[in-house]
């Protein structure tokens, strides 16, 4: 009767206030995300990365055996230009994003998400074909991602995502080396690797920073695929040095992969990292079972 007379139970009032506050905070996150997107565009970084060049629009160089002078990394990724030694190329059908981090409060993570949204738009990948995972996501961040039309992977795959024959873009900025290694292991065949593009930590940089025996022992799939990889670094920009430093676009041309020695494909043992001292990955059993090994950037 109290409710009928216009009164609300205390619990209902607080619940409504909490919902309203959550909506306001979510709107603020979306506003900051739009500002980050506008900043990436106005600063010239997005143009330098995606390439406002004829190749993207007209594909005038389709079929070239090597990229023309001045080619930018994402114009290769967009499928407008045939990558070196590749038999064919196509725009990705879907995207998987790992390790984005707490984008509601972390500027670097927010710029990385804004860049991803621009990238999906550029490549014509619908938001509903992009899956994300990070155990660090808050309920509010999950709600924002869903509002953007993006989807969440239900489980911590530890990077072990099978492309299942679909050309897939993996967006993995500042993720741990084990995540890349696991991804390569899961798709360790010429047909699968040639359908992957990875935007993430430079494989060349990983090779340069690690002793070869450590690379071959702990991250053997990265070590084995190096000679089958094409890599183009994202451009350096003073405003985003911490956000996109050491980030490259990687792809694996079929002819390059087929040119590797047969022994490379013999060992398909799942990585265990038993001797690895600094494993940069959140395992399922460590509480990262729901909502990806998070980027340790904020």
């Amino acid at each position: 009767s109290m409710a009928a007379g216009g009164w609300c139970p205390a619990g209902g009032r607080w619940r409504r206030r909490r919902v309203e506050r959550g909506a306001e905070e979510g709107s603020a996150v979306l506003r900051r995300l739009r500002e980050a997107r506008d900043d990436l565009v106005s600063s010239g970084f997005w143009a330098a990365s995606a390439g406002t060049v004829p190749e993207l629009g007209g594909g005038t160089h389709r079929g070239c055996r090597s990229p023309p002078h001045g080619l930018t990394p994402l114009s290769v990724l967009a499928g407008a230009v045939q990558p070196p030694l590749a038999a064919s190329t196509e725009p990705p059908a879907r995207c998987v994003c790992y390790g984005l981090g707490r984008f509601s409060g972390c500027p670097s993570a927010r710029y990385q998400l804004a860049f991803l949204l621009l990238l999906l738009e550029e490549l014509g990948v619908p938001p509903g074909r992009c899956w994300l995972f990070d155990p660090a996501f808050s309920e509010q961040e999950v709600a924002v991602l869903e509002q953007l039309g993006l989807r969440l992977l239900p489980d911590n795959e530890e990077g072990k995502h099978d492309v299942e024959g679909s050309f897939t873009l993996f967006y993995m900025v500042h993720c741990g080396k084990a995540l890349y290694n696991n991804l390569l292991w899961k798709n360790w065949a010429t047909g699968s690797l040639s359908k992957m593009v990875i935007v993430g930590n430079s494989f060349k940089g990983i090779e340069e920073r690690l002793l070869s025996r450590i690379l071959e022992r702990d991250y053997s799939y990265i070590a084995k695929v190096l000679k089958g990889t094409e890599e183009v670094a994202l451009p350096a920009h003073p405003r985003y040095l911490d956000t996109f430093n050491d980030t490259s676009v990687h792809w694996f041309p079929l002819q390059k992969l087929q040119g590797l020695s047969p022994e490379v494909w013999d060992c398909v043992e799942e990585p265990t990292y038993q001797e690895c001292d600094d494993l940069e990955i959140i395992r399922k059993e460590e509480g990262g079972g729901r909502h990806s090994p998070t980027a340790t950037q904020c």
Side-chain angles (χ1 to χ4, degrees):
S1 60
M2 290 178 65
W7 293 86
C8 290
R13 185 168 60 248
W14 283 111
R15 187 159 49 249
R16 187 174 67 249
R17 287 182 180 175
R18 189 167 63 246
V19 170
E20 290 172 352
R21 186 166 59 249
E24 289 173 2
E25 291 172 354
S27 296
V29 173
L30 286 170
R31 186 183 66 252
R32 291 195 294 270
L33 191 57
R34 284 192 297 270
E35 291 169 354
R37 180 192 190 279
D38 292 344
D39 196 30
L40 287 171
V41 173
S42 64
S43 69
F45 180 75
W46 169 249
S49 299
T52 52
V53 290
E55 289 85 352
L56 262 178
T60 54
H61 294 274
R62 184 179 294 277
C64 291
R65 301 309 299 170
S66 60
H69 177 70
L71 178 67
T72 52
L74 300 185
S75 57
V76 170
L77 191 155
V81 181
Q82 187 169 338
L85 305 180
S88 63
T89 185
E90 55 184 307
R94 59 195 184 110
C95 174
V96 174
C97 171
Y98 292 129
L100 187 63
R102 296 297 304 275
F103 61 88
S104 62
C106 174
S108 289
R110 192 155 53 247
Y111 276 103
Q112 288 167 12
L113 176 54
F115 189 95
L116 173 61
L117 294 172
L118 283 166
L119 188 51
L120 295 176
E121 183 181 327
E122 184 72 40
L123 300 177
V125 179
R129 298 288 295 167
C130 179
W131 286 264
L132 300 91
F133 187 82
D134 195 320
F137 288 152
S138 66
E139 288 185 14
Q140 178 197 76
E141 287 166 333
V142 168
V144 167
L145 293 171
E146 290 175 344
Q147 194 172 344
L148 290 167
L150 302 167
R151 302 174 68 176
L152 293 170
L153 289 167
D155 300 303
N156 183 356
E157 302 175 325
E158 297 180 1
K160 301 166 187 175
H161 190 98
D162 193 335
V163 300
E164 297 179 343
S166 297
F167 185 23
T168 306
L169 165 66
F170 289 91
Y171 189 76
M172 307 169 60
V173 181
H174 294 171
C175 283
K177 294 182 284 294
L179 215 61
Y180 300 101
N181 197 56
N182 285 351
L183 176 62
L184 294 170
W185 165 77
K186 187 66 177 179
N187 297 280
W188 198 245
T190 56
S192 296
L193 291 174
S194 62
K195 287 189 172 292
M196 288 170 43
V197 173
I198 300 174
V199 178
N201 297 5
S202 166
F203 283 13
K204 290 177 183 175
I206 292 173
E207 180 185 24
E208 289 168 0
R209 286 188 293 270
L210 277 185
L211 292 173
S212 58
R213 64 178 181 84
I214 300 297
L215 179 63
E216 291 166 10
R217 184 194 71 189
D218 295 338
Y219 310 107
S220 62
Y221 291 95
I222 296 176
K224 290 189 289 188
V225 86
L226 286 170
K227 291 183 179 178
T229 305
E230 290 284 350
E231 174 179 334
V232 180
L234 289 189
H237 191 288
R239 195 179 302 179
Y240 311 113
L241 290 180
D242 293 335
T243 305
F244 295 104
N245 65 303
D246 196 42
T247 301
S248 291
V249 179
H250 309 79
W251 69 99
F252 311 93
L254 185 59
Q255 289 185 25
K256 259 199 158 185
L257 295 172
Q258 291 172 339
L260 300 180
S261 64
E263 298 79 39
V264 163
W265 309 105
D266 290 344
C267 181
V268 290
E269 185 178 350
E270 184 171 1
T272 59
Y273 310 106
Q274 292 178 349
E275 299 179 74
C276 184
D277 296 329
D278 58 342
L279 191 61
E280 311 153 320
I281 186 173
I282 297 176
R283 311 297 287 265
K284 288 181 184 179
E285 61 270 19
E286 295 170 356
R290 287 193 61 81
H291 291 4
S292 154
T294 181
T296 56
Q297 56 188 343
C298 291

